[in-house]
């Protein structure tokens, strides 16, 4: 085994790329959960976004158009979940699962003629001078646009939730929907918008996988990324900046195990490949374990109405 | 203006009607999907739902397949339904199914080439234990660390898939297999083979186990204290707490049972219809079983019927892809749609639709 082949600079740089799809999906899901809705369909929306973005990018030759259509496609799909849970008052856990199962089927149906094609490549942004800074340059200033947009999105979500009226209303709806309703806020409308936003983000994350990270289309290519995004929201105790931390931690583990595989470590490939999932579970356990005070850190932070259906007359 | 009014009691009529309405709605929506794909929708629906059972040309092959496909679905769904009723969400049955298959197959392969009647029963026990242990991970973590069992059980599916790959490439690989991945085939090892019990019916031990599970689940839910506690926890969690239901015990019981049943399903599959451990051994029964559980209204008899129906869509889907060139993925989307419609129609069980302006309360 040759560990010296692993360059820390490249490792951190590729960590940011590996974390981006999960970060996108997780920040979207965070907004959804802050509005009091638990959407377990992230995986299904991600993979639908992956194929929508891929197909459009291949057909038009424009990755930008691909990303836009991925967001729109996944947001439309998320509206199935929105209508079912908000108007038909269906069980959110079951509906989210249905969304994942349907999304996986739909995506492989749509993607049949796109297997084995290379998508148009996305340019990396060149920051003159900045990217020449030793160490820092290749790490921070040598990525594609989506990496920076994602970071900006995280900051925007953080600021919106914390400082704006819209963010306050969203949180009110998630913490106590009856009180928010009594104050005259449109609970269902707010939640539908949050769900659509979450869908669009998951779609972007999926498209990032199929257009930049991998880049090609294979069936079931998200491989649990959507579920890991869900876990990261819990890990982050529903705080946007901690989502960033969680996604980068996960990205780090993924990249590290890939590098260890390449370096020929004496552990079989399968066991290295499962490590991101195991570490996600481990982190979940640590975050949700009860503290000395009795209550888990997690249960204090969770939006109070998470997963509960709202019906105005009851 | 359309409004929903909560019913004081869930409607008995709609409990039975919803699955039927959902299936019909799915057929219509599925027909539209097939039409978009450029196929004749009526022919497609007939090929999926009618031909496997009644077309003389295919029925001889398809009818036995119905039991073969339905057995794992029913077995897994019965276990899942117990937890779902109590609000305990084990959605990692696919992983438990894989682990059951690996454990069971490992025991069988360890005895190779000894012939004895005891080997198959030992494999069955090992299969159940494999699934049980795998399901106990989210169970124990939930009880002692309050970790969300939905996420843990699901993430463990991916871990199980990697273990499966590792096993079929390494430990359990057939030493006489010329280096190809995959274990020895149980079809050529009589003591460990889960053969057809009655030739030409598709009836194997897994089918028998599925029927037994249906009966046990029915008795448990209808007559047993534990079944009552499961239903109580699902319908009125607060009342259950005051009524002295031990939540930890319930969580471990529901997850353990569903894991063991999923493990059994995996074992019966690997030793029978599939025949060997291979990288692509699992085909998603663990996820489809979630649809089966809901379509069967979480009721054992309903699950039995729903499992047969879902098996029919699998077989009909294969037939449709063979005869009409409908992609296999379309069937997967079709099954997902079924769950959507079911959940949508379900609103009528608990709510009454009324038209006109809301009265002032």
């Amino acid at each position: 085994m040759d560990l010296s082949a692993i360059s820390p600079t490249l490792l951190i740089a590729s960590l940011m790329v590996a974390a981006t799809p999960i970060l996108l999906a997780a920040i979207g899901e965070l907004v959804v959960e802050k509005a009091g809705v638990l959407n377990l369909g992230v995986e299904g929306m991600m993979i639908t976004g992956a194929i929508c973005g891929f197909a459009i990018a291949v057909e038009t030759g424009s990755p930008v158009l691909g990303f836009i259509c991925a967001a729109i496609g996944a947001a439309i799909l998320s509206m199935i979940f929105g209508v079912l849970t908000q108007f038909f008052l269906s069980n959110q856990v079951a509906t989210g699962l249905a969304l994942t199962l349907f999304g996986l089927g739909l995506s492989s149906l749509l993607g049949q003629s796109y297997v084995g094609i290379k998508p148009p490549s996305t340019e990396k942004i060149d920051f003159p001078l900045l990217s020449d800074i030793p160490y820092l340059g290749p790490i921070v200033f040598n990525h594609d646009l989506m990496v920076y947009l994602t970071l900006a999105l995280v900051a925007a979500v953080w600021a919106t939730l914390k400082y704006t009226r819209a963010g306050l209303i969203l949180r009110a709806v998630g913490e106590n929907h009856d009180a928010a309703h009594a104050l005259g806020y449109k609970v269902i409308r707010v939640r539908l918008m949050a769900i659509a936003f979450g869908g669009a983000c998951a779609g972007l994350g999926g498209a990032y996988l199929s257009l930049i990270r991998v880049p090609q289309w294979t069936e079931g290519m998200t491989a649990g990324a959507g579920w890991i995004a869900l876990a990261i929201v819990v890990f982050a105790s529903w705080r946007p900046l901690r989502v960033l931390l969680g996604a980068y931690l996960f990205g780090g583990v993924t990249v590290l195990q890939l590098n260890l595989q390449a370096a020929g470590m004496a552990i079989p490939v399968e066991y290295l490949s499962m490590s991101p999932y195991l570490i996600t579970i481990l982190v979940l356990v640590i975050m949700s374990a009860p503290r000395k005070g009795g209550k888990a850190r997690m249960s204090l932070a969770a939006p109070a109405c998470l997963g509960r259906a709202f019906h105005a007359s009851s | 203006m359309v409004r929903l009014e909560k019913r004081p009691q869930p409607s008995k009529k709609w409990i039975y009607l919803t699955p039927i309405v959902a299936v019909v709605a799915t057929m219509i929506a599925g027909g539209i999907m097939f039409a978009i794909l450029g196929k004749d929708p009526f022919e497609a629906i007939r090929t999926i739902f009618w031909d496997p059972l009644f077309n003389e040309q295919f029925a001889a092959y398809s009818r036995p397949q119905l039991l073969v496909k339905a057995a794992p679905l029913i077995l897994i769904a019965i276990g899942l339904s117990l937890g779902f009723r109590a609000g305990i969400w084990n959605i990692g049955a696919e992983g438990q199914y894989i682990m059951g298959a690996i454990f069971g197959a490992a025991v069988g392969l360890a005895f190779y080439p000894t012939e004895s009647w005891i080997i198959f029963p030992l494999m069955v026990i090992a299969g159940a234990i494999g699934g049980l242990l795998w399901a106990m991970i989210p169970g124990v973590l939930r009880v002692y660390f309050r970790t969300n069992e939905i996420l843990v059980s699901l993430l463990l599916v991916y871990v199980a898939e990697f273990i499966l790959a590792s096993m079929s490439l390494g430990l359990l690989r057939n030493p006489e297999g010329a280096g190809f991945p995959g274990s020895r085939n149980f079809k050529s090892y009589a003591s460990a083979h889960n053969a057809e019990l009655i030739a030409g019916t598709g009836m194997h031990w897994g089918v028998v186990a599925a029927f037994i599970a249906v009966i046990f689940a029915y008795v448990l839910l209808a007559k047993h204290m534990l079944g009552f506690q499961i239903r109580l926890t699902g319908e009125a969690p607060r009342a259950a707490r005051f009524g002295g239901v031990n939540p930890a015990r319930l969580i471990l019981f529901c997850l353990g049972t569903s894991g063991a049943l999923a493990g059994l399903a995996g074992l019966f599959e690997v030793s029978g219809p599939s025949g060997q451990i291979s990288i692509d051994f699992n085909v998603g029964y663990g996820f489809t079983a979630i649809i089966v559980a809901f379509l069967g209204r979480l009721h054992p008899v309903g699950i039995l019927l729903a499992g047969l129906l879902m098996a029919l869509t699998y077989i009909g889907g294969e037939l449709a892809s063979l005869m009409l060139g409908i992609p296999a993925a379309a069937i997967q989307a079709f099954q997902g749609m079924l769950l959507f419609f079911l959940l949508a129609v379900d609103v009528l069980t608990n709510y009454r639709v009324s038209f006109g302006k809301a009265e002032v309360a």
Side-chain angles (χ1 to χ4, degrees):
Chain A
M1 190 175 93
D2 186 15
L3 277 181
S4 63
I6 302 174
S7 138
T9 319
L10 270 179
L11 197 70
I12 300 175
S14 48
L15 170 163
M16 289 178 71
V17 173
T20 298
I22 300 160
L23 182 55
L24 274 167
I27 200 72
E29 177 67 14
L30 179 123
V31 171
V32 178
E33 293 192 12
K34 272 286 181 193
V37 180
L38 181 66
N39 185 353
L40 291 181
V42 184
E43 179 86 2
M45 300 186 297
M46 261 186 113
I47 194 128
T48 307
I51 185 57
C52 284
F54 191 87
I56 298 292
V58 167
E59 299 298 340
T60 63
S62 156
V64 177
L65 217 56
F67 274 109
I68 293 170
C69 290
I72 295 172
I76 291 172
L77 188 71
S78 76
M79 277 299 101
I80 299 179
F81 174 87
V83 169
L84 282 179
T85 54
Q86 301 309 309
F87 294 122
F88 290 85
L89 304 168
S90 65
N91 180 312
Q92 295 183 3
V93 173
T95 315
L97 284 174
L99 194 66
T100 290
L101 294 174
F102 178 71
L104 287 171
L106 181 72
S107 65
S108 55
L109 185 63
L110 293 173
Q112 295 214 311
S113 49
Y114 293 99
V115 178
I117 302 179
K118 250 190 102 61
S121 64
T122 312
E123 298 281 314
K124 287 188 176 177
I125 295 186
D126 190 31
F127 294 92
L129 296 178
L130 284 176
S131 57
D132 295 332
I133 304 171
Y135 297 112
L136 201 63
I139 291 176
V140 184
F141 296 111
N142 192 19
H143 293 294
D144 50 87
L145 182 63
M146 278 309 287
V147 170
Y148 304 109
L149 281 183
T150 306
L151 290 174
L153 188 67
V154 174
V157 166
W158 168 76
T160 308
L161 285 177
K162 197 169 162 81
Y163 295 115
T164 69
R165 189 176 170 76
L168 191 64
I169 294 172
L170 184 97
R171 285 188 288 143
V173 165
E175 291 297 341
N176 189 337
H177 51 213
D178 292 322
H181 177 69
L183 285 172
Y185 297 128
K186 306 288 183 200
V187 173
I188 289 178
R189 194 182 300 165
V190 170
R191 287 189 169 166
L192 280 176
M193 289 195 294
I195 293 167
F197 177 79
C201 286
L204 285 177
Y208 192 85
L209 273 176
S210 65
L211 287 176
I212 298 176
R213 170 116 166 86
V214 175
Q216 60 171 347
W217 163 254
T218 45
E219 260 182 47
M221 67 181 299
T222 43
W227 295 102
I228 287 167
L230 278 163
I232 283 177
V233 176
V234 177
F235 160 79
S237 315
W238 291 269
R239 291 183 197 174
L241 299 183
R242 285 207 201 155
V243 165
L244 183 70
L245 183 73
Y248 276 11
L249 185 76
F250 177 81
V253 174
T254 310
V255 170
L256 189 65
Q257 63 92 3
L258 285 174
N259 274 286
L260 288 176
Q261 284 185 20
M265 194 153 153
I267 301 174
V269 175
E270 291 82 22
Y271 291 94
L272 282 173
S273 307
M274 70 175 76
S275 61
Y277 303 99
L278 289 175
I279 287 174
T280 307
I281 292 173
L282 186 72
V283 168
L284 268 181
V285 171
I286 293 169
M287 286 309 294
S288 45
R291 308 278 134 167
K292 280 199 180 110
K295 268 212 153 185
R297 192 181 280 180
M298 193 185 98
S299 56
L300 287 175
C305 282
L306 186 59
R308 280 174 37 200
F310 173 72
H311 185 232
S313 74
S314 59
Chain B
M1 179 70 190
V2 183
R3 282 180 309 116
L4 293 173
E5 276 170 29
K6 197 160 174 65
R7 295 179 195 271
Q9 291 283 321
S11 158
K12 276 256 160 36
K13 185 180 75 178
W14 277 102
I15 288 179
Y16 295 106
L17 270 178
T18 42
I20 299 165
V21 174
V23 169
V24 172
T26 312
M27 282 188 183
I28 295 169
I32 295 170
M33 178 175 78
F34 295 135
I36 293 171
L37 288 170
K39 315 285 174 195
D40 179 4
F42 296 102
E43 202 186 345
I45 298 290
R46 202 200 67 218
T47 313
I48 294 171
F49 289 99
W50 184 262
D51 283 358
L53 295 178
F54 303 109
N55 185 311
E56 283 171 17
Q57 194 185 344
F58 308 116
Y61 168 77
S62 298
R63 277 192 205 147
Q65 279 294 308
L66 193 65
L67 286 180
V68 171
K69 294 266 196 300
L73 289 174
I74 294 170
L75 211 45
I76 299 171
I78 286 284
L80 294 181
S81 69
L82 297 179
F84 288 179
R85 271 181 179 245
I88 298 159
W89 299 92
N90 172 14
I91 59 170
E94 186 80 357
Q96 293 138 23
Y97 172 85
I98 294 173
M99 292 315 279
I102 292 177
F103 269 60
V107 167
L109 292 169
F111 282 105
Y112 184 87
T114 323
E115 299 280 354
S116 161
W117 62 269
I118 191 103
I119 293 174
F120 190 66
L122 282 177
M123 286 167 68
V124 172
I125 293 168
I129 290 175
L132 178 84
L133 288 179
W134 205 244
M136 272 302 145
I137 300 173
V140 168
L141 293 182
R142 162 87 191 258
V143 169
Y144 292 101
F145 300 100
R146 300 191 200 173
T147 314
N148 184 319
E149 82 281 9
I150 301 178
L151 292 172
V152 174
S153 64
L154 193 281
L155 288 169
L156 283 173
V157 173
Y158 294 96
V159 177
E161 280 178 349
F162 283 118
I163 293 178
L164 177 70
S166 156
M167 286 298 157
S168 49
L169 292 168
L171 268 180
L172 298 182
R173 185 166 70 182
N174 183 357
E176 291 150 22
F180 283 106
S183 71
R184 280 180 202 280
N185 201 313
F186 287 104
K187 280 173 186 149
S188 50
Y189 180 19
S191 294
H193 184 208
N194 172 23
E196 259 187 329
L197 297 174
I198 308 165
T201 56
M203 187 83 161
H204 61 71
W205 283 111
V207 183
V208 177
F211 283 121
I212 295 173
V214 168
I215 295 165
F216 260 84
Y218 185 85
V219 174
L220 177 78
L221 287 171
K223 303 281 175 204
H224 198 273
M225 185 64 185
L226 201 57
F228 172 73
Q229 292 187 342
I230 288 173
R231 286 188 291 144
L232 184 64
T233 307
E235 281 161 32
R238 265 173 70 82
R241 223 174 311 145
F242 290 127
V245 175
N246 180 349
R249 210 181 63 150
L250 208 61
I251 290 167
L252 291 178
F253 173 80
C254 287
L255 280 170
T257 313
S258 57
L261 287 175
L264 279 179
L267 174 274
F268 288 126
E269 190 71 14
V270 77
S271 57
S274 157
Q276 62 172 159
I277 290 280
S278 59
I279 293 178
D280 49 3
F281 161 72
N282 59 313
V283 290
Y285 285 141
F287 293 116
T288 313
I290 297 172
I291 305 179
V292 171
F294 279 109
L295 187 62
R297 314 261 32 190
L298 307 181
H299 186 281
V301 179
I303 288 171
L304 180 70
L305 298 173
L308 288 168
L309 180 74
M310 207 53 97
L312 186 62
T313 65
Y314 266 116
I315 301 158
E318 277 172 24
L319 201 61
S321 87
L322 201 71
M323 302 298 296
L324 307 174
I326 289 175
I331 301 305
Q332 211 185 335
F334 190 80
Q335 293 174 343
M337 245 191 275
L338 180 55
L339 187 47
F340 277 141
F341 279 113
L342 189 73
L343 292 166
V345 181
D346 209 21
V347 73
L348 297 172
T349 311
N350 291 312
Y351 293 86
R352 185 181 289 124
V353 180
S354 66
F355 301 93
K357 259 181 95 80
E359 295 158 33
V360 178

